[in-house]
Amino acid sequence: RRARRPTTWLSSSTHWLLLPVFLLRRPTPGRVAMMALTAELLPVALAHLRAADPQLAVLLDASPTCSFARLTAPAAGSAFSQLCKRVVAQQLSGASSRTIFARVVAACAVYAGTDCGGELSPASLLGTADAELRAAGLSAAKLRALKDLAAHFADGRLSEEAVSDAALLDDEQLERALTAVVGIGPW
């Protein structure tokens, strides 16, 4: 029996296509590290799919309305804010996690005294009272994880650059830095 491949959803304007993630950043024995499927890598991925599955190739070729040129960029916002979203979303539906995250951002914006534009900062999260964040819908465990993540960013153990730039930390270093945060484990 073949092992299942990780998959990802890609969206064009109104069409969804489930693509296997076959591109590896740095494959190592016994470990698969996924690489984001960017607009530059998309033609390579589509060529692979066409070669691997003739029936899918016919469908891809017969669908001129499915334009992949308008793929959205990877998640917008700061790495800190994106990590916070992932912590909040753990074991919740998409709608619930979006609602709770919006409430957390609003609570932090009140502390910061400014509109944060939907983003969190380590300082605003650390400065917001735990009771306010719990009232926004965070569980005690998620609150503890978010506060520890904010502390890691605030004191420099993690940084926007280290998380988003592969040249600063290799995969193993980044994994060690992230898993040092309470509530974030190996994936």
Side-chain angles (χ1 to χ4, degrees):
R1 188 171 175 181
R2 291 178 57 193
R4 293 186 59 189
R5 276 190 211 161
T7 56
T8 186
W9 284 95
L10 291 180
S11 169
S12 69
S13 58
T14 57
H15 296 78
W16 289 90
L17 177 64
L18 186 64
L19 294 176
V21 178
F22 68 96
L23 300 169
L24 304 178
R25 182 172 176 197
R26 259 184 239 116
T28 57
R31 180 167 181 262
V32 175
M34 285 189 289
M35 171 187 268
L37 192 56
T38 63
E40 293 81 26
L41 294 174
L42 186 60
V44 176
L46 291 174
H48 170 79
L49 290 173
R50 282 185 173 96
D53 188 341
Q55 291 176 330
L56 182 58
V58 170
L59 291 174
L60 290 171
D61 294 337
S63 180
T65 60
C66 190
S67 169
F68 291 101
R70 294 175 20 163
L71 285 174
T72 58
S78 69
F80 173 75
S81 195
Q82 290 302 315
L83 286 168
C84 288
K85 283 181 186 177
R86 300 307 174 260
V87 169
V88 170
Q90 290 174 1
Q91 299 184 352
L92 292 177
S93 72
S96 297
S97 66
R98 284 188 298 275
T99 299
I100 292 171
F101 187 76
R103 289 177 186 161
V104 168
V105 169
C108 292
V110 169
Y111 167 80
T114 183
D115 177 21
C116 301
E119 292 289 311
L120 289 176
S121 71
S124 66
L125 188 63
L126 287 171
T128 304
D130 291 0
E132 294 294 320
L133 295 170
R134 292 275 293 158
L138 290 178
S139 67
K142 288 185 183 185
L143 175 61
R144 190 172 48 254
L146 289 178
K147 290 279 187 163
D148 195 47
L149 180 63
H152 276 71
F153 271 84
D155 67 18
R157 288 177 281 173
L158 281 170
S159 68
E160 291 291 322
E161 297 77 23
V163 172
S164 57
D165 188 354
L168 293 178
L169 294 178
D170 66 25
D171 291 345
E172 290 77 23
Q173 291 170 320
L174 181 57
E175 184 176 346
R176 276 194 303 276
L178 288 172
T179 56
V181 175
V182 170
I184 298 180
W187 52 93

